[in-house]
């Protein structure tokens, strides 16, 4: 597999990172996961917007080719072609603070690594979810983007594996619904689309942004809300969404849920999600 490391195209086995690397030592950075489809990066402008906010929150200075977004997009698409992923692939861009140092960094300039791997179209079958008990989300300057809170999702993933659910609903410390392990949560009831508010600690997902934008354009009421799990169960449709696609929720723990696919199918078609 080919990868890009600070503008250099390398074979995977050629990559060498110093032991002082701050992504390794302190998780001092963030990442974006994107989908390459039909020679384009899906939702590229939204990814750039979230990168800008992550950069600001972490006080990073984009460098090493990251600052020219048009050239960066071209490089990433060339990488996808090199790895035969231009038709459908999963692209990950990891950005971290350069230099060494302890908790106090030596510099705020950045280094980066991009990889692209073949991906399969997401499944459409409804999922059965549980409620996470080992961890909870917490709102912070870092909770809206990916990277700093990764351990939260790793531990939730471990619990999911142990409990054998398809996914887990993460709650905040007030027992309010926040998100699933790797997707935002939505439910549709009486003509209103609900989703947990960002200050429940959920990620400001790229598909979440596009769903809310589409609802606004169509005159569909949206409520970013605070709800405990029982309030979700009687919705007309409950679904999870991330950059890979949408999945309906058919069961929350032991409670059966309505699986009206109308709104989910419409959003999937509008956003061109496979």
């Amino acid at each position: 597999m080919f990868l890009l490391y600070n503008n250099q195209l390398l074979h995977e086995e050629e990559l060498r990172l110093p032991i002082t690397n701050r992504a390794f030592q302190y998780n001092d950075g963030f990442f974006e996961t994107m989908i390459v489809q039909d020679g384009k990066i899906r939702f590229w402008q939204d990814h750039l917007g979230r990168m800008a906010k992550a950069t600001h929150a972490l006080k990073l200075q984009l460098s090493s080719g990251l600052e020219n977004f048009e050239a960066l997009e071209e490089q990433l698409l060339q990488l996808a072609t090199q790895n035969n992923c231009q038709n459908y692939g999963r692209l990950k861009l990891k950005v971290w603070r350069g230099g060494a140092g302890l908790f106090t960094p030596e510099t705020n300039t950045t280094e980066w690594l991009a990889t692209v791997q073949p991906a399969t179209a997401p499944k459409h079958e409804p999922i059965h979810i549980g409620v996470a008990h080992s961890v909870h989300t917490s709102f912070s300057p870092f909770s809206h983007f990916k990277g700093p809170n990764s351990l939260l999702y790793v531990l939730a993933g471990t619990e999911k594996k142990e409990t054998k659910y398809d996914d887990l609903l993460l709650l905040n410390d007030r027992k309010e619904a926040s998100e699933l392990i790797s997707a935002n949560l939505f439910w549709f009831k009486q003509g209103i689309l609900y989703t947990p508010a960002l200050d429940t600690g959920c990620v400001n997902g790229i598909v979440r942004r596009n769903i809310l934008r589409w609802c606004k354009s169509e005159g569909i009421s949206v409520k970013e809300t605070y709800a405990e799990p029982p309030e979700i169960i009687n919705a007309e449709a409950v679904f999870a969404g991330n950059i890979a696609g949408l999945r309906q929720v058919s069961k929350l723990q032991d409670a059966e849920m309505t699986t009206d696919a109308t709104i989910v199918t419409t959003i999937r078609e509008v956003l061109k999600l496979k």
Side-chain angles (χ1 to χ4, degrees):
M1 180 178 72
F2 289 96
L3 50 82
L4 278 171
Y5 174 49
N6 292 337
N7 288 326
Q8 291 183 291
L9 183 66
L10 303 173
H11 284 283
E12 183 178 3
E13 59 272 15
E14 295 178 298
L15 179 64
R16 297 291 184 270
L17 296 176
I19 194 67
T20 55
N21 178 279
R22 294 186 64 86
F24 170 69
Q25 292 283 359
Y26 300 108
N27 193 26
D28 187 5
F30 66 91
F31 68 86
E32 285 287 320
T33 304
M34 303 170 243
I35 293 294
V36 176
Q37 183 176 343
D38 301 327
K40 296 180 180 179
I41 300 174
R42 186 195 286 167
F43 308 132
W44 173 242
Q45 293 300 321
D46 288 301
H47 284 289
L48 291 181
R50 190 165 65 180
M51 284 175 59
K53 290 189 175 182
T55 301
H56 177 76
L58 296 176
K59 301 185 186 302
L60 297 174
Q61 298 171 1
L62 292 183
S63 54
S64 303
L66 289 176
E67 71 277 10
N68 186 331
F69 295 145
E70 185 176 342
L72 176 62
E73 181 183 20
E74 185 176 343
Q75 278 187 292
L76 295 175
L77 289 173
Q78 288 175 352
L79 179 64
T81 300
Q82 288 278 354
N83 289 312
N84 297 315
C85 300
Q86 65 271 27
N87 292 330
Y88 198 74
R90 192 177 187 87
L91 164 65
K92 186 170 184 179
L93 177 63
K94 176 74 176 178
V95 181
W96 63 90
R97 199 183 317 267
L102 300 177
F103 282 117
T104 302
E106 297 175 340
T107 179
N108 290 325
T109 59
T110 52
E111 298 183 1
W112 59 280
L113 175 70
T115 58
V116 192
Q117 296 179 307
T120 56
K123 298 177 181 177
H124 289 179
E125 294 85 358
I127 56 176
H128 180 191
I129 67 174
V131 175
H133 297 287
S134 59
V135 293
H136 62 78
T137 61
S138 180
F139 179 67
S140 76
F142 320 119
S143 55
H144 62 279
F145 57 90
K146 296 182 177 182
N149 294 326
S150 291
L151 190 56
L152 164 71
Y153 304 105
V154 171
L155 292 177
T158 299
E159 184 180 347
K160 180 192 76 169
K161 188 175 180 180
E162 292 170 349
T163 56
K164 302 187 187 306
Y165 286 109
D166 296 317
D167 210 325
L168 291 181
L169 173 61
L170 306 184
L171 309 179
N172 63 11
D173 57 1
R174 298 187 300 273
K175 308 299 182 185
E176 296 163 339
S178 180
E179 60 187 340
L180 302 190
I181 294 174
S182 57
N184 288 116
L185 178 68
F186 308 86
W187 60 99
F188 192 70
K189 190 174 184 179
Q190 296 180 341
I192 299 172
L193 184 78
Y194 295 85
T195 192
L198 291 178
D199 59 7
T200 62
C202 66
V203 170
N204 189 359
I206 299 301
V207 164
R208 181 185 189 276
R209 296 176 184 213
N210 279 271
I211 290 174
L212 300 193
R213 188 182 298 142
W214 173 76
C215 285
K216 183 177 180 179
S217 72
E218 294 297 309
I220 298 172
S221 295
V222 172
K223 288 190 178 181
E224 298 181 62
T225 190
Y226 309 91
E228 296 185 5
E231 300 176 56
I232 301 171
I233 291 170
N234 295 323
E236 296 155 29
V238 182
F239 60 101
N242 60 21
I243 54 104
L246 308 179
R247 297 288 296 275
Q248 282 193 266
V249 178
S250 60
K251 197 171 182 181
L252 173 55
Q253 297 194 129
D254 296 327
E256 299 284 349
M257 307 175 80
T258 304
T259 53
D260 183 346
T262 305
I263 185 98
V264 178
T265 300
T266 300
I267 293 172
R268 190 179 283 137
E269 290 175 353
V270 168
L271 299 186
K272 296 181 171 57
L273 301 171
K274 286 196 172 185

